[in-house]
């Protein structure tokens, strides 16, 4: 999925539509770069394994050294791209859910100030709140219904919400390990930005959450389109 077609003078305001479209393009670009970075990292890990076997019987470790130097840069790049992808993807989900909910409930358009705020990286708690909105119940039934679609949608959103809850716990654990001043409670961790609490020497906080979050971010605009189509 990419981005649905909307009428410029349809149910969405120009600023809502432009923000949704721009975030969509941003996170898709970051997603592809992150996937490429992961592929590169995997290839270098395999090369490292080969280097260990190759140099077990040699005095010259240059092959392994070269692989390690490149892998170090690749690891840093993967983390950098993943955090960039997280920032735009999480914002796309939060903004998308806000627009979807206001269209489904026939509420007034979001103000330019509100849209601008929702385009920023949300705290983990704010993202958790957006994932708790019953999106499956807000979407209209399809003309040719898909069996158990509503239940399946609700389960997928719940799994990602649980993943964000796990990320909040991990932020709290990392802070404790680092003996940081804060966050010291789960509520404080929920008020954090993931990109500011993912130290390079720790396991990625986004691991297991980013990929399914991509899918929800892609789906939300199409959900908005479905709602508008029946208005």
């Amino acid at each position: 999925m990419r981005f649905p077609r909307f009428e410029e003078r349809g149910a969405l305001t120009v600023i809502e539509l432009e923000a949704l479209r721009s975030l969509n393009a941003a996170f898709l670009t970051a997603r592809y770069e992150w996937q490429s970075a992961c592929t590169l990292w995997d290839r270098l890990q395999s090369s490292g394994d080969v280097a260990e076997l190759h140099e077990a019987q040699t005095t010259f470790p240059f092959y392994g050294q070269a692989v390690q130097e490149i892998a170090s840069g690749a690891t840093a790049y993967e983390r950098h791209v993943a955090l960039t992808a997280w920032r735009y993807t999480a914002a796309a989900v939060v903004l998308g859910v806000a627009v979807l909910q206001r269209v489904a409930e026939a509420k007034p358009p979001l103000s330019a100030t509100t849209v601008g705020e929702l385009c920023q990286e949300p705290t983990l708690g704010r993202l958790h709140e957006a994932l708790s909105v019953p999106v499956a119940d807000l979407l209209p039934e399809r003309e040719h219904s898909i069996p158990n679609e509503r239940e399946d949608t609700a389960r997928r959103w719940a799994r990602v919400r649980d993943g964000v809850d796990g990320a909040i716990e991990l932020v709290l654990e990392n802070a404790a390990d680092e003996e940081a001043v804060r966050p010291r409670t789960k509520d404080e961790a929920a008020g954090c930005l993931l990109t500011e609490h993912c130290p390079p020497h720790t396991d990625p906080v986004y691991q297991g959450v980013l990929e399914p979050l991509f899918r929800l971010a892609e789906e939300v605009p199409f959900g908005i389109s479905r709602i508008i189509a029946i208005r």
Side-chain angles (χ1 to χ4, degrees):
M1 288 188 287
R2 292 297 178 266
F3 195 78
R5 292 186 177 182
F6 289 101
E7 293 182 10
E8 295 294 337
R9 296 187 178 183
L12 301 184
T13 63
V14 171
I15 194 165
E16 287 174 335
L17 182 54
E18 286 183 351
L20 288 169
R21 190 177 279 153
S22 183
L23 284 174
N24 181 268
F27 83 73
L28 282 177
T29 298
R31 178 186 192 179
Y32 299 143
E33 291 303 316
W34 179 59
Q35 290 171 336
S36 296
C38 289
T39 299
L40 174 61
W41 189 86
D42 287 341
R43 187 168 69 244
L44 288 168
Q45 285 294 105
S46 297
S47 296
D49 293 340
V50 173
E52 287 185 7
L53 294 174
H54 181 269
E55 293 174 347
Q57 306 298 326
T58 181
T59 308
F60 302 102
F62 304 129
Y63 178 22
Q65 288 177 2
V67 171
Q68 288 178 8
E69 290 172 15
I70 297 169
S72 176
T75 299
Y77 180 65
E78 183 276 331
R79 180 73 61 108
H80 171 72
V81 177
L83 294 178
T84 300
W86 176 274
R87 185 167 67 249
Y88 292 115
T89 307
V93 169
V94 170
L95 174 64
V97 169
V99 174
L100 185 149
Q101 189 170 25
R102 84 94 182 149
V103 171
E105 297 174 354
K107 292 182 176 179
L110 303 178
S111 68
T113 300
T114 298
V115 171
E117 291 172 352
L118 294 176
C119 285
Q120 305 306 307
E121 180 188 354
T123 63
L124 286 163
R126 180 68 187 85
L127 177 59
H128 191 278
E129 289 175 9
L131 293 167
S132 300
V133 172
V135 169
D137 296 333
L138 296 174
L139 297 175
E141 294 283 354
R142 297 180 190 273
E143 183 178 350
H144 302 290
S145 61
I146 300 174
N148 303 316
E149 180 185 23
R150 196 179 298 276
E151 292 81 1
D152 290 343
T153 298
R155 276 194 293 270
R156 285 190 296 103
W157 280 72
R159 281 197 295 270
V160 181
R161 184 176 67 245
D162 290 345
V164 172
D165 192 65
I168 293 172
E169 295 282 3
L170 192 53
V171 165
L172 191 58
E173 290 176 16
N174 286 342
D177 291 341
E178 298 290 319
E179 298 184 349
V181 176
R182 61 177 302 273
R184 308 304 294 175
T185 68
K186 188 171 182 179
D187 284 343
E188 286 184 348
C192 293
L193 301 179
L194 181 145
T195 57
E196 295 179 356
H197 292 267
C198 195
H201 56 279
T202 63
D203 289 335
V205 178
Y206 53 80
Q207 198 164 34
V209 187
L210 185 54
E211 189 61 49
L213 193 66
F214 284 140
R215 292 192 284 272
L216 296 190
E218 278 193 288
E219 289 176 14
V220 172
F222 287 90
I224 297 170
S225 180
R226 279 175 58 186
I227 294 171
I228 291 175
I230 67 169
R231 295 296 180 190

